[in-house]
Amino acid sequence: MTKITKDLTYHELVANSIRVLAMDGVQKANSGHPGLPMGAADIATVLWTQFLTFNPIDPLWPNRDRFVLSAGHGSMLLYSLLYLAGFELSLEDIKNFRQWDSITPGHPESHLTPGVETTTGPLGQGVGNAVGMAMAERWLAERYNKPGYDIVNHFTYAIASDGDLMEGVSHEACSLAGHLGLGKLIVLYDDNKITIDGPTSLSYSDDVSGRFEAYGWHTQRVDGHDPMAIETAIRLAKEETTQPSIIACRTHIGYGSPNKQDTSSAHGEPLGDEEIRLTKENLGWPAEPTFYVPDEVAGIMGQVAADGAQRQVEWEELYALYCDAHPDLADEFLQAIEGDLPDGWDDSLTSLFEAGKSMATRASSGAVLNELSMRIPNLIGGSADLTGSNKTRPQGAKHLSRDDFSGRYIHFGIREHGMGSILNGMALHGGIRTFGGTFLVFSDYMRPPIRLAALMGLPVIYVFTHDSIGLGEDGPTHQPVEQLMSLRLIPGLTVIRPAEATETAMAWRAALKNEQGPTALSLTRQGLATFDRTRLAPARMANLGGYVLSDVDDPAAILMASGSEVHIALEAQAQLAGRGIDVRVVSMPSWELFEAQPVEYRESVLPAHIRARVSMEAGVTLGWERYVGGDGIAIGIDRFGASAPFQEIYQNLGLTAEAMVDAVVKLLD
Amino acid sequence: MTKITKDLTYHELVANSIRVLAMDGVQKANSGHPGLPMGAADIATVLWTQFLTFNPIDPLWPNRDRFVLSAGHGSMLLYSLLYLAGFELSLEDIKNFRQWDSITPGHPESHLTPGVETTTGPLGQGVGNAVGMAMAERWLAERYNKPGYDIVNHFTYAIASDGDLMEGVSHEACSLAGHLGLGKLIVLYDDNKITIDGPTSLSYSDDVSGRFEAYGWHTQRVDGHDPMAIETAIRLAKEETTQPSIIACRTHIGYGSPNKQDTSSAHGEPLGDEEIRLTKENLGWPAEPTFYVPDEVAGIMGQVAADGAQRQVEWEELYALYCDAHPDLADEFLQAIEGDLPDGWDDSLTSLFEAGKSMATRASSGAVLNELSMRIPNLIGGSADLTGSNKTRPQGAKHLSRDDFSGRYIHFGIREHGMGSILNGMALHGGIRTFGGTFLVFSDYMRPPIRLAALMGLPVIYVFTHDSIGLGEDGPTHQPVEQLMSLRLIPGLTVIRPAEATETAMAWRAALKNEQGPTALSLTRQGLATFDRTRLAPARMANLGGYVLSDVDDPAAILMASGSEVHIALEAQAQLAGRGIDVRVVSMPSWELFEAQPVEYRESVLPAHIRARVSMEAGVTLGWERYVGGDGIAIGIDRFGASAPFQEIYQNLGLTAEAMVDAVVKLLD
């Protein structure tokens, strides 16, 4: 007969249910990580039953607390909690752990599973996301709350592992969190002293509390299996409103397993049937059936869920009153939360620019951003300490600080990776459209969060300036060569490299219209003449990703390019015309947008019968074969750049109109 | 008349010479960063005149102290020091700052300029490199020093800026440095309170000393313009032999400039002629000529250089005695320092494997590494906490620890970025061949140091396992899709993705033979049958990067693939043969090695007249157009992966022999 064999507290019933579901789920899948869920079950139980405000019926209620499992490999902890709390995640889903098409993949994925706030697994990212969520909460609270109407008022909690805290991104994000005094961010550190390789003493001896004190955090240490101590610590952390908090919870990985607790073998593989039997016995659980959860747990968690639903009802009542008292703000808040843009947000963007005038696309971007910033109140962003270079700061935009969070500009510091991870957190929170800038070459520092933004489908915008050898003297360490193409490789990321000001305006429009994923803008340092759109194709054609910029009757060849090199292609077109060779020039600001067009359109731009094709881009050529075809010539830079005035580098590396002319002549011969 | 207008100490003469060269050099180039050289001139002067042991005549003397300017934008500090100290860097070179073909590029490049120990500019990297250099020193000392013969015994110094310490890689590397107790590593923190965006207070309020104490470092704070205080601090840091040291030196950016000192405008642009005039006046310097250095400075620095040369003479005398006392070790040391491999190091690598046996290439790699490790005593490396998964730990290899540095295995912790940067430092130091492992997907975390290894031409080896959806249940966060192609984009990096055990042996051989740059190995989690080389092409063909693995008379089409997908191509070949269609199978383990072959060879593998070509790789298709040509079909994964048993993912994403068969049939129709 199925029954609990020990006299267990309500807390123990819930915590052990998590342990059992984790063990059995991993065993059934024959892969996964039981150790963390078992070790962190007490922390999570205290948090979820006594503190976390959520409503399983409406997992997207804007004022819910946010919970991030940064150590995503412990996904069964989260799935167990979601199941027990009554989210739309069934026991069947738990049993389908790590199977094709399930909503319980190996690591939590926010776009798949209701109640999963962010996709984690790559370590450190969740911590950064949590910082971003707490920043978003505070910014929204600052903007929308009014006396008596705290419509934005929630906490952000994260569970982080040793691995999360060893990763550099945790340094970047937590240092900024301390600087900004994010009092409603609470990190529970699952201090279990075990990593995959063995005891943390093999590689790690940080005094974590000392480290976080140095960042300006409030720190505590508790026994991670003492519910009272955990409860007290979380309460104290909540009471500390001017600093983020970290609670180091000393836990035992695989807690309850007689032979595997405190060993790295509990980390990432099934415990095995026999050890599960022994563990269940030890926990006071019946050996059979598997996935057994006592009825009391449903009752306990049902009450928690009901409380959460009630909190949402109260919030909705408050919000209704707020709508009466502050109708304009309420409208704006609603629009922001729903991710909509204000009417007319993109009016007259292209009319900002004067044909012929030379302007770096980073400068055009800055001008567009000024306009957008005036029209879109919840567009906020910043730069990783390259504000003046990236032109990311809208005119008159105040920066946010610990003392005044109403600013719309963020000085991220020299923290590209942290910035990327924070941008994801802000986007996940909702209510904000975000952007962040750095040099294109330093997109390498933030590839992991860019990838995750793409996987999650977050509408984050990256402003990557100084996008080629065109940055000149700073030299090869600062000159991107492979970055542009390597960003194009990331599924779901839209990369746009405008050729001049009007294409830049279109690029920003496309970026803001893209609600399904991130967009990377690639912008020049050097000046580029604004196209005369009366002579060339209209600017709106840039929305199609690739378009015939300048055509001729019956072109003998096609020149194609992106960004600054489009100007070289136009010059080559003129030179070729002088020789009696008529060629088409195609501007290719965005491969992703182009490939989203119907095949007929693409064929009209690049007709199959024109096989003489020459491309130019100030980056690696690998990839351009897609468009130049087997017979074409791709001109680019298959080496690192060099330190010199940029015109000389272009000349010396052969990125010239003459090179395009020669290539066309060669192909036509 | 040219003369110094104030009564200056020797220290001031040297420090002000640096300031003047930096100001004038940046002004002449009309770009660059005068602020850091001017601010850090006092620190650098004390270090270079009183502590740093070097010999300008032989900048590669193995036992020199290492000096890393992590804040590479302050390159004029380093160039000025090298020029003043008599390295092969002339005043003409200083005047050619940031010009085409000069040895004084915008950021220091170790492969260009004698005396530059590492290429810096991307922030944080130099700190990581310095940690790696100190680790290499200690490992070599542990192995080669004998009582009375301290032939390896030097310090590693680094100057780091706010930006270096904000970057996450500094956390990773410095945490490990503290853990390992690197007593001969001394970081001078140029604490100038200014970043590009303005005062550090905009984004940064770390208690840096507290942070580093939490890592187990020895910390001090000094006035960075007080030579006596700096001297005392460095002396104390040297005396502390069990912990790395950081000295926070409070400096003033642009020191000496009446109007720009302590402002961000001193950071990254020329001061302007008038401000330079005022600054020179303030420093007691004549306004003209530019680049003026008083004769006394040549005398002072000449003495420093002579002392260094004398130290080398003494070291060479000691080394000669060591050769007599410990001839075998001396031979081994010499071979290690010269980067040579022992005779017979690659004997019988391929004979390790039995045809037909199923073995993941990560396991084959582990087996090869066991062999290599026995034969190459200075091959050391580790993993970022995935030792068992990466199979990077040779049998019986002890790990190094603060108490015993003789181990040859490094537990890097969950610190991919730090690992990459440390590997670079170890390779730069010399005497060691290094490797480091993680999952391929997490190569994203360490792209910046991989890029720098490629730029510097360092022979670092990356062991990237779990190289596709073939890792199965861990899901899309852990399944690389774009990483393989994106690594191929990095100029100078050789990427090898072997198809099975014998190709894996060849891959390791190629990696170790590659002394001109880094090599990335891409290895499977899942088992793959070892080729029967009596039926297929011989294993040594894999050295050519791409080769005909299985041929037919007059092939109708070519199937090509890398890694695990080669097996699918072989299966498709058999299925096609069953239909009477004879096709060639080409294995493409390394595009870089293949492209280094003569055009005739490449044409023999992929003859232009065979246009029916189908490729398969479990990653993005972008790039494969290079080989399949305009008429071919590239099969791959242009989306993120999924969590499920790997066979199901292959099936569901269409990576099957049937898909290749269908593609060939379609092309031939």
Side-chain angles (χ1 to χ4, degrees):
Chain A
M1 188 189 151
T2 301
K3 63 174 182 183
I4 300 301
T5 59
K6 286 189 181 173
D7 190 18
L8 298 177
T9 64
Y10 275 10
H11 170 89
E12 288 166 330
L13 285 171
V14 176
N16 286 353
S17 293
I18 294 169
R19 293 186 173 105
V20 164
L21 291 172
M23 279 191 291
D24 285 348
V26 170
Q27 190 66 35
K28 181 160 190 305
N30 198 26
S31 84
H33 301 77
L36 186 141
M38 296 172 74
D42 290 312
I43 314 171
T45 298
V46 172
L47 179 63
W48 278 61
T49 59
Q50 300 190 55
F51 293 97
L52 198 74
T53 300
F54 59 89
N55 181 5
I57 309 303
D58 184 1
L60 297 180
W61 168 36
N63 199 41
R64 70 194 182 276
D65 285 339
R66 302 302 193 272
F67 173 74
V68 172
L69 179 66
S70 189
H73 55 277
S75 56
M76 274 304 298
L77 175 71
L78 183 50
Y79 300 147
S80 301
L81 288 161
L82 293 173
Y83 163 58
L84 295 176
F87 283 78
E88 214 173 294
L89 190 152
S90 67
L91 188 58
E92 211 46 46
D93 293 319
I94 296 270
K95 291 178 178 173
N96 266 325
F97 182 48
R98 295 180 157 235
Q99 303 308 306
W100 182 263
D101 241 359
S102 77
I103 60 167
T104 47
H107 295 79
E109 296 178 37
S110 57
H111 64 294
L112 278 188
T113 314
V116 172
E117 297 282 3
T118 177
T119 298
T120 51
L123 288 169
Q125 300 301 328
V127 172
N129 297 162
V131 172
M133 291 173 185
M135 285 172 66
E137 191 270 348
R138 187 148 165 215
W139 187 87
L140 291 166
E142 190 75 33
R143 183 166 184 93
Y144 294 108
N145 289 355
K146 290 287 160 192
Y149 299 101
D150 280 355
I151 59 163
V152 182
N153 182 18
H154 69 77
F155 281 81
T156 300
Y157 299 96
I159 291 183
S161 63
D162 302 308
D164 289 302
L165 300 191
M166 280 194 237
E167 290 286 1
V169 64
S170 72
H171 166 59
E172 298 181 18
C174 294
S175 168
L176 186 60
H179 178 75
L180 292 175
L182 301 176
K184 291 163 89 177
L185 171 64
I186 298 175
V187 173
L188 299 151
Y189 167 35
D190 179 38
D191 182 15
N192 65 24
K193 311 276 186 217
I194 294 290
T195 72
I196 292 177
D197 275 6
T200 49
S201 59
L202 285 175
S203 61
Y204 191 52
S205 41
D206 285 10
D207 163 12
V208 172
S209 295
R211 174 185 164 206
F212 277 78
E213 275 158 26
Y215 295 152
W217 286 50
H218 174 248
T219 69
Q220 300 175 79
R221 291 172 171 280
V222 297
D223 174 351
H225 300 295
D226 177 347
M228 297 282 283
I230 299 165
E231 186 206 328
T232 304
I234 297 177
R235 192 161 35 71
L236 290 174
K238 288 183 71 171
E239 286 169 8
E240 170 50 65
T241 58
T242 63
Q243 301 182 99
S245 277
I246 186 167
I247 305 169
C249 306
R250 177 66 176 102
T251 60
H252 296 275
I253 194 168
Y255 183 89
S257 162
N259 299 302
K260 297 205 169 178
Q261 178 178 314
D262 289 322
T263 70
S264 60
S265 76
H267 171 89
E269 55 194 65
L271 294 183
D273 288 329
E274 174 59 11
E275 186 66 15
I276 289 178
R277 195 185 60 74
L278 293 173
T279 307
K280 285 183 178 173
E281 187 177 313
N282 190 30
L283 294 174
W285 229 250
E288 295 289 338
T290 53
F291 299 99
Y292 174 67
V293 174
D295 293 339
E296 293 96 319
V297 172
I300 299 163
M301 295 306 290
Q303 188 54 53
V304 171
D307 289 349
Q310 176 57 27
R311 297 283 288 274
Q312 180 168 356
V313 168
E314 289 159 18
W315 180 84
E316 281 168 354
E317 288 165 4
L318 181 71
Y319 183 70
L321 295 172
Y322 176 77
C323 288
D324 292 340
H326 302 282
D328 292 350
L329 269 182
D331 282 352
E332 188 192 303
F333 176 75
L334 192 66
Q335 191 170 56
I337 289 295
E338 296 193 342
D340 296 333
L341 295 167
D343 287 343
W345 67 271
D346 60 348
D347 285 352
S348 69
L349 289 182
T350 50
S351 62
L352 291 172
F353 304 108
E354 182 189 330
K357 190 177 165 193
S358 178
M359 198 170 189
T361 50
R362 64 178 170 138
S364 322
S365 167
V368 173
L369 190 52
N370 278 341
E371 291 294 311
L372 293 171
S373 185
M374 284 188 285
R375 292 177 167 82
I376 307 173
N378 65 331
L379 180 63
I380 79 174
S383 163
D385 198 50
L386 287 168
T387 296
S389 299
N390 299 146
K391 311 283 185 201
T392 34
R393 185 170 189 155
Q395 270 168 10
K398 212 170 46 169
H399 72 271
L400 58 77
S401 69
R402 72 182 299 145
D403 299 321
D404 179 359
F405 230 80
S406 69
R408 287 170 58 192
Y409 194 72
I410 304 169
H411 287 291
F412 283 104
I414 300 149
R415 304 183 178 105
E416 301 82 8
H417 197 168
M419 176 172 74
S421 184
I422 287 168
L423 290 172
N424 286 356
M426 290 169 59
L428 284 160
H429 183 280
I432 283 176
R433 288 301 299 267
T434 58
F435 62 89
T438 185
F439 286 171
L440 177 58
V441 78
F442 299 135
S443 63
D444 277 2
Y445 274 76
M446 52 189 289
R447 266 181 94 82
I450 296 174
R451 181 177 213 259
L452 283 165
L455 178 57
M456 290 190 266
L458 302 179
V460 173
I461 301 171
Y462 307 109
V463 182
F464 293 137
T465 70
H466 295 61
D467 75 346
S468 76
I469 51 166
L471 70 84
E473 292 87 346
D474 270 349
T477 55
H478 285 55
Q479 290 164 352
V481 170
E482 72 278 26
Q483 279 71 17
L484 187 63
M485 195 65 75
S486 82
L487 290 170
R488 290 187 183 126
L489 299 175
I490 300 177
L493 174 66
T494 301
V495 181
I496 314 183
R497 184 171 188 242
E500 44 69 85
T502 60
E503 283 195 7
T504 304
M506 292 299 96
W508 266 102
R509 177 140 64 183
L512 280 160
K513 282 191 165 180
N514 183 5
E515 292 170 16
Q516 305 307 315
T519 305
L521 307 179
S522 171
L523 305 167
T524 65
R525 177 192 187 207
Q526 73 274 28
L528 299 167
T530 301
F531 290 154
D532 178 355
R533 293 293 186 175
T534 62
R535 291 181 47 246
L536 301 166
R540 64 179 157 69
M541 296 296 291
N543 292 325
L544 304 176
Y547 65 106
V548 179
L549 177 67
S550 172
D551 212 2
V552 291
D553 290 336
D554 192 18
I558 297 175
L559 303 181
M560 59 186 97
S562 79
S564 37
E565 287 69 65
V566 175
H567 301 264
I568 297 177
L570 287 171
E571 192 187 327
Q573 182 192 41
Q575 290 187 15
L576 285 161
R579 295 201 196 188
I581 303 172
D582 288 340
V583 303
R584 166 180 290 187
V585 172
V586 171
S587 177
M588 296 279 288
S590 173
W591 293 20
E592 296 81 12
L593 294 179
F594 183 63
E595 286 169 22
Q597 305 309 318
V599 65
E600 298 75 21
Y601 173 74
R602 285 181 279 142
E603 170 66 18
S604 75
V605 176
L606 302 173
H609 71 273
I610 309 182
R611 297 183 79 107
R613 301 176 181 192
V614 176
S615 71
M616 183 177 283
E617 188 168 77
V620 293
T621 56
L622 180 58
W624 273 99
E625 292 89 350
R626 172 163 293 187
Y627 296 118
V628 298
D631 302 320
I633 294 176
I635 302 175
I637 306 176
D638 291 313
R639 48 159 283 181
F640 289 109
S643 172
F646 78 91
Q647 301 90 339
E648 278 181 63
I649 310 174
Y650 265 87
Q651 194 68 39
N652 288 322
L653 298 188
L655 268 70
T656 61
E658 292 70 28
M660 287 196 108
V661 168
D662 290 348
V664 168
V665 170
K666 184 176 164 196
L667 289 176
L668 295 179
D669 273 354
Chain B
M1 187 191 151
T2 302
K3 63 174 182 184
I4 300 301
T5 58
K6 284 189 182 172
D7 190 18
L8 299 177
T9 63
Y10 275 11
H11 170 88
E12 288 165 330
L13 285 171
V14 176
N16 287 351
S17 292
I18 294 169
R19 293 185 172 107
V20 164
L21 291 172
M23 279 191 289
D24 285 347
V26 169
Q27 190 66 36
K28 181 160 190 306
N30 198 28
S31 86
H33 301 77
L36 186 140
M38 296 171 75
D42 290 312
I43 314 170
T45 298
V46 171
L47 179 64
W48 278 60
T49 59
Q50 299 189 54
F51 293 97
L52 198 74
T53 300
F54 59 89
N55 181 5
I57 309 303
D58 184 1
L60 298 180
W61 168 36
N63 200 41
R64 70 195 181 276
D65 285 338
R66 302 302 195 272
F67 172 74
V68 171
L69 180 65
S70 188
H73 55 275
S75 55
M76 274 304 298
L77 175 71
L78 182 50
Y79 300 148
S80 300
L81 288 162
L82 293 173
Y83 162 59
L84 296 175
F87 282 79
E88 214 172 294
L89 190 152
S90 67
L91 187 57
E92 211 47 46
D93 293 319
I94 295 271
K95 291 179 179 174
N96 266 323
F97 182 49
R98 295 180 156 236
Q99 303 308 306
W100 182 264
D101 240 1
S102 77
I103 60 167
T104 47
H107 295 79
E109 297 178 37
S110 58
H111 63 294
L112 277 187
T113 314
V116 172
E117 297 282 4
T118 177
T119 298
T120 52
L123 288 169
Q125 300 300 328
V127 171
N129 298 161
V131 172
M133 291 174 185
M135 285 173 66
E137 192 269 350
R138 186 148 165 216
W139 186 87
L140 291 167
E142 192 73 34
R143 182 164 185 95
Y144 294 109
N145 288 355
K146 289 288 160 191
Y149 300 101
D150 281 354
I151 59 162
V152 181
N153 181 18
H154 70 76
F155 281 81
T156 299
Y157 299 95
I159 290 183
S161 63
D162 301 308
D164 289 302
L165 299 190
M166 280 193 237
E167 290 286 0
V169 63
S170 73
H171 166 59
E172 299 181 19
C174 294
S175 169
L176 186 61
H179 178 76
L180 293 175
L182 300 175
K184 290 162 90 175
L185 171 64
I186 297 174
V187 173
L188 299 151
Y189 167 34
D190 179 37
D191 182 14
N192 65 25
K193 311 274 185 221
I194 294 291
T195 72
I196 291 177
D197 275 6
T200 49
S201 59
L202 286 174
S203 60
Y204 190 52
S205 42
D206 286 10
D207 164 12
V208 172
S209 294
R211 173 186 166 204
F212 277 79
E213 276 158 25
Y215 295 152
W217 286 50
H218 173 249
T219 69
Q220 301 176 77
R221 291 172 172 280
V222 298
D223 173 351
H225 300 296
D226 177 347
M228 297 282 283
I230 300 165
E231 187 206 327
T232 304
I234 297 178
R235 194 161 35 72
L236 290 173
K238 290 183 69 171
E239 286 169 7
E240 171 50 66
T241 58
T242 64
Q243 301 182 98
S245 277
I246 186 166
I247 305 169
C249 306
R250 177 67 177 102
T251 60
H252 296 275
I253 194 169
Y255 183 89
S257 162
N259 300 302
K260 298 206 168 177
Q261 177 178 316
D262 289 322
T263 70
S264 59
S265 75
H267 171 88
E269 54 194 65
L271 295 184
D273 288 329
E274 175 59 11
E275 187 66 15
I276 289 178
R277 196 184 61 75
L278 293 173
T279 307
K280 286 184 179 175
E281 188 178 310
N282 189 30
L283 295 174
W285 229 250
E288 294 289 338
T290 53
F291 300 98
Y292 174 66
V293 174
D295 293 341
E296 294 95 318
V297 172
I300 299 163
M301 296 306 291
Q303 187 55 51
V304 171
D307 289 350
Q310 177 58 27
R311 296 282 288 274
Q312 180 168 357
V313 168
E314 288 159 18
W315 180 85
E316 280 168 356
E317 287 165 4
L318 181 73
Y319 182 70
L321 296 171
Y322 175 78
C323 289
D324 291 341
H326 303 280
D328 292 351
L329 269 182
D331 282 353
E332 188 192 302
F333 176 74
L334 191 68
Q335 191 171 55
I337 288 295
E338 295 192 341
D340 296 333
L341 296 167
D343 287 343
W345 66 271
D346 61 347
D347 284 353
S348 68
L349 290 182
T350 50
S351 61
L352 292 172
F353 303 108
E354 183 189 330
K357 190 175 163 192
S358 178
M359 198 171 189
T361 50
R362 63 177 171 139
S364 321
S365 167
V368 172
L369 191 52
N370 278 341
E371 292 293 311
L372 293 171
S373 186
M374 283 189 284
R375 292 177 167 83
I376 307 173
N378 65 330
L379 180 64
I380 79 174
S383 163
D385 199 50
L386 288 168
T387 296
S389 299
N390 299 146
K391 311 284 185 200
T392 34
R393 184 169 191 157
Q395 270 168 12
K398 210 170 47 171
H399 72 270
L400 58 76
S401 69
R402 71 183 299 145
D403 299 321
D404 179 359
F405 231 81
S406 69
R408 287 170 58 191
Y409 194 71
I410 303 169
H411 287 291
F412 282 104
I414 300 149
R415 304 184 179 103
E416 301 82 7
H417 197 168
M419 175 172 73
S421 183
I422 287 169
L423 290 173
N424 286 355
M426 290 169 60
L428 284 160
H429 183 281
I432 283 175
R433 286 303 297 268
T434 59
F435 62 89
T438 185
F439 285 171
L440 177 58
V441 78
F442 298 135
S443 62
D444 277 2
Y445 273 76
M446 52 190 289
R447 265 181 94 82
I450 295 174
R451 179 177 214 257
L452 283 164
L455 178 57
M456 290 189 266
L458 302 179
V460 173
I461 300 171
Y462 308 109
V463 181
F464 292 137
T465 70
H466 295 61
D467 74 347
S468 75
I469 50 166
L471 70 83
E473 291 88 346
D474 271 348
T477 55
H478 285 55
Q479 289 164 353
V481 170
E482 72 279 25
Q483 280 70 18
L484 186 62
M485 195 64 75
S486 82
L487 291 170
R488 290 185 183 127
L489 299 176
I490 300 177
L493 173 66
T494 301
V495 181
I496 314 183
R497 185 171 188 242
E500 43 70 85
T502 60
E503 282 195 7
T504 305
M506 291 299 96
W508 266 103
R509 176 141 65 183
L512 280 159
K513 281 190 166 180
N514 182 5
E515 293 170 16
Q516 306 306 315
T519 305
L521 307 178
S522 172
L523 304 167
T524 65
R525 177 190 187 208
Q526 73 272 30
L528 298 167
T530 301
F531 290 152
D532 178 356
R533 293 293 186 175
T534 62
R535 291 179 47 245
L536 300 166
R540 64 179 156 68
M541 296 296 290
N543 292 324
L544 304 176
Y547 65 107
V548 180
L549 177 66
S550 173
D551 213 1
V552 291
D553 289 338
D554 193 19
I558 297 174
L559 304 181
M560 59 185 99
S562 79
S564 37
E565 288 69 65
V566 176
H567 301 264
I568 298 177
L570 287 171
E571 193 188 326
Q573 182 193 41
Q575 290 187 14
L576 285 162
R579 296 200 195 188
I581 303 173
D582 288 341
V583 303
R584 165 180 290 187
V585 172
V586 171
S587 177
M588 296 279 288
S590 173
W591 293 19
E592 296 81 11
L593 294 179
F594 183 63
E595 286 170 21
Q597 306 308 318
V599 64
E600 297 75 21
Y601 173 74
R602 285 180 280 142
E603 170 66 19
S604 75
V605 176
L606 303 173
H609 72 272
I610 310 183
R611 298 184 78 109
R613 300 176 180 192
V614 176
S615 71
M616 183 177 283
E617 189 169 76
V620 294
T621 56
L622 180 58
W624 273 100
E625 291 90 350
R626 174 164 291 187
Y627 297 119
V628 298
D631 301 321
I633 294 176
I635 302 174
I637 306 176
D638 291 313
R639 49 159 282 181
F640 290 108
S643 172
F646 78 91
Q647 301 90 337
E648 280 182 60
I649 310 174
Y650 266 88
Q651 193 68 40
N652 288 322
L653 298 188
L655 267 70
T656 61
E658 292 68 28
M660 286 195 108
V661 168
D662 290 348
V664 168
V665 170
K666 184 176 163 196
L667 288 177
L668 295 180
D669 273 354

